[in-house]
PDB file of all heavy atoms in Angstrom:
ATOM      1  N   MET A  58     127.117 149.050 107.853  1.00 96.00           N
ATOM      2  CA  MET A  58     127.593 147.689 108.081  1.00 96.00           C
ATOM      3  C   MET A  58     126.519 146.659 107.769  1.00 96.00           C
ATOM      4  O   MET A  58     125.383 147.013 107.467  1.00 96.00           O
ATOM      5  CB  MET A  58     128.090 147.539 109.526  1.00 96.00           C
ATOM      6  CG  MET A  58     127.060 147.792 110.599  1.00 96.00           C
ATOM      7  SD  MET A  58     126.578 149.539 110.820  1.00 96.00           S
ATOM      8  CE  MET A  58     128.129 150.279 111.323  1.00 96.00           C
ATOM      9  N   SER A  59     126.887 145.382 107.831  1.00 97.00           N
ATOM     10  CA  SER A  59     125.942 144.296 107.585  1.00 97.00           C
ATOM     11  C   SER A  59     125.632 143.575 108.885  1.00 97.00           C
ATOM     12  O   SER A  59     126.502 143.447 109.757  1.00 97.00           O
ATOM     13  CB  SER A  59     126.534 143.295 106.575  1.00 97.00           C
ATOM     14  OG  SER A  59     125.757 142.106 106.509  1.00 97.00           O
ATOM     15  N   ALA A  60     124.416 143.073 108.997  1.00 97.00           N
ATOM     16  CA  ALA A  60     124.069 142.251 110.150  1.00 97.00           C
ATOM     17  C   ALA A  60     124.853 140.947 110.155  1.00 97.00           C
ATOM     18  O   ALA A  60     124.873 140.239 111.171  1.00 97.00           O
ATOM     19  CB  ALA A  60     122.566 141.951 110.134  1.00 97.00           C
ATOM     20  N   ASN A  61     125.519 140.619 109.041  1.00 98.00           N
ATOM     21  CA  ASN A  61     126.341 139.416 108.957  1.00 98.00           C
ATOM     22  C   ASN A  61     127.804 139.664 109.308  1.00 98.00           C
ATOM     23  O   ASN A  61     128.600 138.717 109.324  1.00 98.00           O
ATOM     24  CB  ASN A  61     126.265 138.829 107.542  1.00 98.00           C
ATOM     25  CG  ASN A  61     124.878 138.348 107.176  1.00 98.00           C
ATOM     26  OD1 ASN A  61     124.175 137.776 108.003  1.00 98.00           O
ATOM     27  ND2 ASN A  61     124.463 138.592 105.936  1.00 98.00           N
ATOM     28  N   ASP A  62     128.186 140.914 109.559  1.00 97.00           N
ATOM     29  CA  ASP A  62     129.586 141.213 109.885  1.00 97.00           C
ATOM     30  C   ASP A  62     129.990 140.520 111.183  1.00 97.00           C
ATOM     31  O   ASP A  62     129.155 140.327 112.084  1.00 97.00           O
ATOM     32  CB  ASP A  62     129.786 142.722 110.003  1.00 97.00           C
ATOM     33  CG  ASP A  62     129.763 143.426 108.653  1.00 97.00           C
ATOM     34  OD1 ASP A  62     129.841 142.727 107.633  1.00 97.00           O
ATOM     35  OD2 ASP A  62     129.670 144.674 108.637  1.00 97.00           O
ATOM     36  N   PRO A  63     131.273 140.173 111.328  1.00 96.00           N
ATOM     37  CA  PRO A  63     131.712 139.388 112.482  1.00 96.00           C
ATOM     38  C   PRO A  63     132.012 140.198 113.741  1.00 96.00           C
ATOM     39  O   PRO A  63     132.443 139.622 114.737  1.00 96.00           O
ATOM     40  CB  PRO A  63     132.994 138.725 111.962  1.00 96.00           C
ATOM     41  CG  PRO A  63     133.544 139.703 110.969  1.00 96.00           C
ATOM     42  CD  PRO A  63     132.331 140.318 110.309  1.00 96.00           C
ATOM     43  N   ASP A  64     131.772 141.521 113.731  1.00 96.00           N
ATOM     44  CA  ASP A  64     132.092 142.344 114.901  1.00 96.00           C
ATOM     45  C   ASP A  64     131.325 141.863 116.133  1.00 96.00           C
ATOM     46  O   ASP A  64     130.129 141.553 116.067  1.00 96.00           O
ATOM     47  CB  ASP A  64     131.723 143.804 114.624  1.00 96.00           C
ATOM     48  CG  ASP A  64     132.387 144.338 113.369  1.00 96.00           C
ATOM     49  OD1 ASP A  64     131.939 143.945 112.264  1.00 96.00           O
ATOM     50  OD2 ASP A  64     133.326 145.119 113.484  1.00 96.00           O
ATOM     51  N   ASP A  65     132.008 141.861 117.269  1.00 96.00           N
ATOM     52  CA  ASP A  65     131.381 141.404 118.514  1.00 96.00           C
ATOM     53  C   ASP A  65     130.168 142.241 118.874  1.00 96.00           C
ATOM     54  O   ASP A  65     129.150 141.714 119.341  1.00 96.00           O
ATOM     55  CB  ASP A  65     132.391 141.429 119.662  1.00 96.00           C
ATOM     56  CG  ASP A  65     133.440 140.334 119.536  1.00 96.00           C
ATOM     57  OD1 ASP A  65     133.211 139.386 118.770  1.00 96.00           O
ATOM     58  OD2 ASP A  65     134.487 140.439 120.199  1.00 96.00           O
ATOM     59  N   TRP A  66     130.244 143.562 118.654  1.00 97.00           N
ATOM     60  CA  TRP A  66     129.141 144.426 119.067  1.00 97.00           C
ATOM     61  C   TRP A  66     127.891 144.155 118.237  1.00 97.00           C
ATOM     62  O   TRP A  66     126.772 144.312 118.740  1.00 97.00           O
ATOM     63  CB  TRP A  66     129.535 145.901 118.991  1.00 97.00           C
ATOM     64  CG  TRP A  66     129.761 146.448 117.612  1.00 97.00           C
ATOM     65  CD1 TRP A  66     130.940 146.557 116.948  1.00 97.00           C
ATOM     66  CD2 TRP A  66     128.751 146.966 116.720  1.00 97.00           C
ATOM     67  NE1 TRP A  66     130.744 147.102 115.702  1.00 97.00           N
ATOM     68  CE2 TRP A  66     129.420 147.369 115.539  1.00 97.00           C
ATOM     69  CE3 TRP A  66     127.376 147.126 116.807  1.00 97.00           C
ATOM     70  CZ2 TRP A  66     128.741 147.927 114.458  1.00 97.00           C
ATOM     71  CZ3 TRP A  66     126.694 147.673 115.725  1.00 97.00           C
ATOM     72  CH2 TRP A  66     127.379 148.063 114.572  1.00 97.00           C
ATOM     73  N   ILE A  67     128.054 143.723 116.974  1.00 97.00           N
ATOM     74  CA  ILE A  67     126.890 143.390 116.155  1.00 97.00           C
ATOM     75  C   ILE A  67     126.200 142.148 116.713  1.00 97.00           C
ATOM     76  O   ILE A  67     124.969 142.109 116.848  1.00 97.00           O
ATOM     77  CB  ILE A  67     127.297 143.178 114.681  1.00 97.00           C
ATOM     78  CG1 ILE A  67     127.687 144.531 114.057  1.00 97.00           C
ATOM     79  CG2 ILE A  67     126.164 142.523 113.887  1.00 97.00           C
ATOM     80  CD1 ILE A  67     128.102 144.448 112.603  1.00 97.00           C
ATOM     81  N   ALA A  68     126.979 141.145 117.077  1.00 97.00           N
ATOM     82  CA  ALA A  68     126.395 139.938 117.661  1.00 97.00           C
ATOM     83  C   ALA A  68     125.696 140.255 118.976  1.00 97.00           C
ATOM     84  O   ALA A  68     124.596 139.743 119.243  1.00 97.00           O
ATOM     85  CB  ALA A  68     127.485 138.893 117.877  1.00 97.00           C
ATOM     86  N   ARG A  69     126.303 141.119 119.798  1.00 97.00           N
ATOM     87  CA  ARG A  69     125.681 141.477 121.079  1.00 97.00           C
ATOM     88  C   ARG A  69     124.392 142.255 120.852  1.00 97.00           C
ATOM     89  O   ARG A  69     123.407 142.055 121.573  1.00 97.00           O
ATOM     90  CB  ARG A  69     126.654 142.317 121.916  1.00 97.00           C
ATOM     91  CG  ARG A  69     127.842 141.534 122.471  1.00 97.00           C
ATOM     92  CD  ARG A  69     128.547 142.311 123.577  1.00 97.00           C
ATOM     93  NE  ARG A  69     129.006 143.620 123.130  1.00 97.00           N
ATOM     94  CZ  ARG A  69     130.205 143.841 122.597  1.00 97.00           C
ATOM     95  NH1 ARG A  69     131.064 142.840 122.440  1.00 97.00           N
ATOM     96  NH2 ARG A  69     130.562 145.060 122.227  1.00 97.00           N
TER      97      ARG A  69
END
Side-chain angles (χ1 to χ4, degrees):
M58 61 288 297
S59 169
N61 296 321
D62 287 347
D64 305 74
D65 288 343
W66 68 265
I67 289 180
R69 289 195 303 270

